[in-house]
Amino acid sequence: MPTTGTTPTTSATPPAGFRPTGGWTVDVPTAADFAAWRELFRGYCDFYRVPMPDEKAELVWSWLTDPVHELGGLLVRDADGTPVGLAHYRPFVRPLHGAVAGFLDDLFVAPAARGTGAVDLLLARLRAIAAERGWDTVRWITADDNHRARSKYDQVATRTMFVTYDMPSAGV
């Protein structure tokens, strides 16, 4: 996917009611989705053993619902409209490539909805957003021992050779 040379829009605005297959929808979170999103986000935090105090959930939600914040979000909903999975993403620049790409920060599907195609729908919508915004790729990381997710990722993306590091800021 070639880059267009323009700065992509930073708010998440996929078409409302995007329907990749019968009954399922993928769209942006709305104010009414907070409780369901929070439970999904809690499941994601629990999986990675990261605490989720109320303040963190409210902060991340404020980013997702702020149309000018760079963080975008998607929810995949079942046929009843219940959110069963989430994705959080944002643009990032790739100076080495002279391009803008998307970074998938968080991806989670409720255990009861795994194997139903929900993650495929989230990834398909994210790929479409990347194309719409001129991003040349979508990148993400996952835990080495996240075998189930990695088996899916190996089907839709190319594993890179890079090792990641986290360096705390001087103020931490």
Side-chain angles (χ1 to χ4, degrees), residues 16 27 35 48 72 74 80 90 150 152:
D27 56 22
Y48 282 109
L74 296 171
D80 296 326
R90 62 189 158 80
R150 287 182 57 199
K152 171 52 68 180

Side-chain angles (χ1 to χ4, degrees), residues 5-163:
T6 61
T7 303
T9 305
T10 58
S11 63
T13 55
F18 173 73
R19 294 179 189 276
T21 59
W24 291 89
T25 59
V26 176
D27 56 22
V28 297
T30 66
D33 293 320
F34 178 71
W37 168 86
R38 183 179 175 148
E39 285 307 305
L40 291 167
F41 191 51
R42 180 180 314 281
Y44 179 75
C45 291
D46 288 349
F47 178 82
Y48 282 109
R49 295 178 178 88
V50 175
M52 192 193 70
D54 291 342
E55 300 79 27
K56 178 171 47 172
E58 290 166 8
L59 178 62
V60 174
W61 182 254
S62 76
W63 294 340
L64 287 171
T65 56
D66 179 348
V68 298
H69 196 279
E70 72 177 351
L71 185 66
L74 296 171
L75 291 174
V76 61
R77 302 169 192 277
D78 65 16
D80 296 326
T82 303
V84 298
L86 62 78
H88 300 151
Y89 62 92
R90 62 189 158 80
F92 76 98
V93 297
R94 301 180 70 201
L96 184 63
H97 298 280
V100 176
F103 194 86
L104 175 58
D105 285 290
D106 310 314
L107 180 65
F108 181 78
V109 172
R114 292 179 187 161
T116 65
V119 75
D120 298 299
L121 304 177
L122 285 167
L123 291 170
R125 184 62 193 123
L126 189 55
R127 181 179 291 212
I129 289 168
E132 292 164 9
R133 296 182 184 186
W135 296 347
D136 72 338
T137 194
V138 176
R139 176 174 291 162
W140 64 91
I141 61 173
T142 194
D144 187 57
D145 64 353
N146 191 357
H147 301 292
R148 181 173 182 151
R150 287 182 57 199
S151 69
K152 171 52 68 180
Y153 302 159
D154 287 343
Q155 295 172 15
V156 299
T158 302
R159 182 179 172 183
T160 69
M161 63 178 208
F162 293 100
V163 177

